[in-house]
Amino acid sequence: MSEITIVSGFFDIGRGDMAGFQRSTQKYVEYFRFWARMKNKLVVYTDKVTAEQVLKIRDSFHLKDRTRIIIIDDVYKLEPDLFKQICAVTDNKEAVNFRTCPQNPESWNPKYNYVTCLKPYFVADAVKNGYADGMVAWVDFGYNHGGQTCIHAEEFDFLWCYDFTPKIHLFAMEPMDDMPVFEIVRTMRAYIAGAIMVAPALLWQEFADLYKQSVLHLTHCGFADDDQTVSVMAYRENPDLFEIHPVDDWFIALKEVGGEHLTRASKIQYKESKKQAQALWQAGNYTQALKWYGKYAREKLQTKR
């Protein structure tokens, strides 16, 4: 099976001050530490301060020589026109209030939407500069939220290999359908669990172009959203490029494709939590629904899937 090169990134967008959605930079570093012992080649795009912490963590697992850090002094200068358009949209109160949950960061925070939509940009850059080749995966810096889904950090001490088909691989919480994009934006329905995306090196630039095009199409219609909606739009533009994997959890993708040994939080408890989450989602209480999706991680019973 083929070894996968991992690309990730982190930039402080002020989430520590987002009421109801607070996560400090240090919290994200701890999330990263949980999975950072993976033995794959790793490329991380981040700021200078976080770069030092990343190298220290990887070195503690004797993986410094498999780690490359790309320091970005000002992430908003990478695609300044794109960021400007996202800012203009999120400044429009009518657009924000159009959303079912206007308090969520994807409704009003341009930095959040901009940074989450740069995921393919970073991977394409890594490929272009020779930092990554073969099969390449984007993995969120905060993947698994420190044990929310896969509960034992020591089990991430492995070399991730998997024989993916030569397509762009996305992991979907909901079946792909024909719901209009405006309705996806309004209801804030989440199809794609974007914490992991995988594709051969030669497809990442095309994926990045589709992403940027989708963001611009959305802003031209007066809206902005995060990578979940943009991924759906990119897929619809050229579905033949993609392979969609159904999943039942935001962070289960790695266990499904090469990390089968990872221990998942209790499936029994999880089923009950998901049932509650689905009921809340159907009632339109999306914020509470998402909290229930993560509840099983705090439950005491633990068993293998």
Side-chain angles (χ1 to χ4, degrees), residues 11-235:
F11 298 92
D12 184 1
I13 59 171
R15 185 152 186 168
D17 298 322
M18 293 185 197
F21 299 91
Q22 295 98 333
R23 290 195 195 113
S24 67
T25 296
Q26 194 54 42
K27 174 65 73 175
Y28 274 102
V29 170
E30 291 307 311
Y31 287 166
F32 170 72
R33 186 190 304 274
F34 197 92
W35 66 267
R37 66 192 74 205
M38 289 178 68
K39 296 179 179 180
N40 299 67
K41 291 186 293 183
L42 174 66
V43 183
V44 180
Y45 289 77
T46 191
D47 59 82
K48 185 176 181 180
V49 174
T50 307
E52 295 174 358
Q53 296 183 77
V54 168
L55 278 177
K56 184 176 180 180
I57 290 169
R58 289 283 283 181
D59 192 33
S60 72
F61 298 128
H62 310 291
L63 293 168
K64 187 175 181 180
D65 63 339
R66 304 220 84 200
T67 308
R68 183 185 293 271
I69 309 295
I70 311 301
I71 295 175
I72 306 294
D73 293 324
D74 188 346
V75 70
Y76 306 105
K77 289 183 178 180
L78 296 180
E79 290 281 1
D81 293 336
L82 191 68
F83 182 54
K84 183 179 179 180
Q85 292 206 50
I86 294 173
C87 287
V89 168
T90 51
D91 279 344
N92 183 348
K93 298 303 179 186
E94 294 294 329
V96 173
N97 292 329
F98 177 77
R99 311 295 291 272
T100 299
C101 297
Q103 73 279 8
N104 285 25
E106 62 265 39
S107 297
W108 62 270
N109 193 303
K111 293 181 178 180
Y112 177 84
N113 287 332
Y114 171 77
V115 168
T116 60
C117 289
L118 286 181
K119 295 178 183 182
Y121 174 97
F122 290 128
V123 185
D125 183 80
V127 171
K128 180 179 69 176
N129 286 289
Y131 309 144
D133 57 14
M135 195 60 69
V136 189
W138 169 270
V139 176
D140 278 358
F141 195 73
Y143 181 72
N144 192 44
H145 284 186
Q148 178 171 303
T149 297
C150 299
I151 57 179
H152 297 314
E154 62 272 17
E155 291 180 350
F156 283 84
D157 185 8
F158 75 106
L159 181 68
W160 180 25
C161 299
Y162 192 79
D163 286 333
F164 285 99
T165 60
K167 293 198 172 190
I168 300 169
H169 295 263
L170 300 179
F171 299 86
M173 295 279 287
E174 298 283 349
M176 304 302 280
D177 57 24
D178 296 322
M179 179 179 284
V181 172
F182 290 168
E183 188 65 6
I184 295 174
V185 172
R186 185 187 70 81
T187 61
M188 307 181 72
R189 186 171 177 179
Y191 292 80
I192 303 299
I196 288 183
M197 301 184 287
V198 187
L202 59 84
L203 287 182
W204 273 104
Q205 186 58 59
E206 187 169 1
F207 191 24
D209 293 341
L210 284 173
Y211 241 63
K212 183 175 180 179
Q213 173 183 298
S214 298
V215 175
L216 291 173
H217 284 170
L218 205 54
T219 60
H220 292 164
C221 294
F223 295 106
D225 212 337
D226 62 15
D227 59 306
Q228 294 172 354
T229 296
V230 174
S231 292
V232 173
M233 295 176 67
Y235 163 78

